[in-house]
Amino acid sequence: MKNLLLKLPEFYFLVLIFLAGYTPAFSIAPFYIVLMIVLILQIIFKNKVSGLLIGGLIFFCNLFFLVALLSEFKEFTEFDIEAQKLLFVGFSVWIVNIIASGTMMYRYVKIKTRSSQMIKFN
């Protein structure tokens, strides 16, 4: 069960990238295709450095997402149902993304590198 939960973030982000880049009539923006290819390669090869880099980038992008969410919330003049929906959905997505990126970074921190992959300085 724990092993499955540690592998879930990459697939979650893969679905998220697909949904972000998809436009009707089954067209995907080229930038999102590149992001999906990078994530698929990460799922296949499980490189520690790129896994930490991808997880860290997603984490920092989500910090900008939080700032954008709060900025958008401040544009509401009163705390009505639309403002409540924005906060509830926005914070829900933000929390799931932060947990997924943290799980992804945790997974790749725990991976042990083989001695043949380590650089030795004599």
Side-chain angles (χ1 to χ4, degrees):
M1 182 70 172
K2 182 180 177 184
N3 195 16
L4 178 67
L5 289 177
L6 290 177
K7 291 180 182 179
L8 193 61
E10 285 95 345
F11 294 107
Y12 168 72
F13 289 126
L14 188 63
V15 169
L16 207 60
I17 290 170
F18 176 77
L19 292 175
Y22 175 76
T23 54
F26 201 70
S27 163
I28 300 174
F31 176 72
Y32 291 101
I33 292 173
V34 171
L35 289 177
M36 287 190 301
I37 290 171
V38 167
L39 210 50
I40 289 170
L41 289 174
Q42 179 60 33
I43 290 170
I44 293 170
F45 294 113
K46 298 174 184 72
N47 188 333
K48 181 177 182 174
V49 175
S50 64
L52 288 171
L53 185 65
I54 292 169
L57 284 173
I58 292 171
F59 181 83
F60 286 117
C61 287
N62 279 306
L63 292 179
F64 286 112
F65 173 73
L66 177 65
V67 171
L69 177 68
L70 293 176
S71 173
E72 190 70 26
F73 174 70
K74 286 188 178 191
E75 291 182 7
F76 285 98
T77 55
E78 60 184 43
F79 192 64
D80 59 352
I81 191 72
E82 294 298 319
Q84 290 173 2
K85 277 196 249 181
L86 174 76
L87 281 181
F88 178 72
V89 173
F91 276 128
S92 299
V93 170
W94 182 76
I95 288 170
V96 169
N97 287 344
I98 288 293
I99 290 171
S101 65
T103 304
M104 188 173 174
M105 288 190 295
Y106 172 78
R107 175 179 175 211
Y108 288 107
V109 164
K110 290 294 185 180
I111 289 179
K112 297 192 187 313
T113 54
R114 288 178 256 155
S115 62
S116 63
Q117 291 178 337
M118 295 176 60
I119 299 173
K120 295 181 182 179
F121 295 102
N122 292 328

